[in-house]
Amino acid sequence: MNKTLSALCTALLLTTASPAFAASTDLTVTGVITPSACTPTLSGGGIVDHGKISAKDLRPDNPTALPKLTLQMAVNCDAPVQYYFSPIDHRAGTAWGTSSQFGLGRTNAGEKLGSFMVDALNMRADGVDVQHIASTDGGKTWIKDYWDADNLWAVGAMDDTSMPLRVKDLTLDLRITTQIASTRELTLTDDVLIDGSATLQLKYL
């Protein structure tokens, strides 16, 4: 009997305790496990090599455009899936001229060396022509736009740019346009490495 009473008293004390110091917050863990995986590949190991460039061949008052080079890109998935690319500029803050392009690093004196941009051409998804679309608001909306360094990238139907397509096999050309800043803005007394670097991170919708 005593044990029963003791347990009952404890229960009453717990349930009638003052809530004045109680507080709570919620933790929610979400996500989606997709059965479809995608593998992106770039020709040439994803390397665009302009070789050695003589400083005397660069323009003093305007940026110098280097020859445009093209890589072939493919994305192969287990099944049709919606995805987009989130570009990461590993030389962020070094682009000469505009933040919508990727940086090339800095000279030994700390000057912005130049920039490069990416154009998507000849896009085909599962045997059908498609077009590049982009999001400037973190994926909330999609429009027909260039694949800039500060956008999210995806592919859309030729008659609908409002939503990324579900795609199994995608092929396209990536044309890389590189420019070097005017030499009046650069210290080129020693060799300077053209050091552009970016990652195209594929993310599922």
Side-chain angles (χ1 to χ4, degrees):
M1 178 64 71
N2 289 337
K3 290 183 178 180
T4 304
L5 287 173
S6 176
L8 180 61
C9 290
T10 301
L12 288 173
L13 286 171
L14 288 173
T15 56
T16 58
S18 171
F21 301 103
S24 64
T25 187
D26 295 328
L27 171 63
T28 303
V29 179
T30 64
V32 177
I33 297 175
T34 176
S36 300
C38 297
T39 302
T41 56
L42 275 172
S43 64
I47 298 173
V48 175
D49 187 0
H50 288 287
K52 284 192 174 182
I53 302 166
S54 174
K56 67 181 179 60
D57 293 331
L58 301 176
R59 302 172 68 180
D61 299 317
N62 293 289
T64 301
L66 302 185
K68 297 180 180 181
L69 299 176
T70 301
L71 300 176
Q72 285 68 51
M73 182 175 182
V75 181
N76 302 109
C77 305
D78 296 333
V81 63
Q82 279 182 306
Y83 59 83
Y84 65 91
F85 291 102
S86 177
I88 302 171
D89 185 359
H90 298 296
R91 305 294 178 260
T94 71
W96 182 89
T98 172
S99 63
S100 65
Q101 298 185 10
F102 298 89
L104 293 179
R106 295 178 181 273
T107 66
N108 300 330
E111 302 131 343
K112 295 180 180 180
L113 181 60
S115 61
F116 72 92
M117 61 182 295
V118 177
D119 286 322
L121 307 171
N122 305 319
M123 308 182 73
R124 289 183 65 82
D126 301 327
V128 178
D129 290 339
V130 292
Q131 62 180 325
H132 52 78
I133 62 175
S135 176
T136 60
D137 57 9
K140 295 177 183 178
T141 59
W142 295 88
I143 58 174
K144 180 175 175 58
D145 204 349
Y146 294 105
W147 280 9
D148 290 339
D150 50 4
N151 291 342
L152 300 181
W153 306 352
V155 298
M158 297 302 292
D159 59 353
D160 182 10
T161 61
S162 65
M163 181 75 65
L165 280 176
R166 289 184 178 275
V167 179
K168 182 179 184 298
D169 296 307
L170 172 70
T171 60
L172 63 135
D173 294 331
L174 286 183
R175 186 176 63 190
I176 312 302
T177 303
T178 305
Q179 65 175 0
I180 305 299
S182 58
T183 57
R184 289 189 185 277
E185 303 178 41
L186 302 176
T187 302
L188 300 176
T189 53
D190 298 301
D191 286 353
V192 176
L193 180 66
I194 297 175
D195 191 30
S197 176
T199 296
L200 307 183
Q201 188 175 37
L202 188 152
K203 296 186 177 182
Y204 302 98
L205 286 171

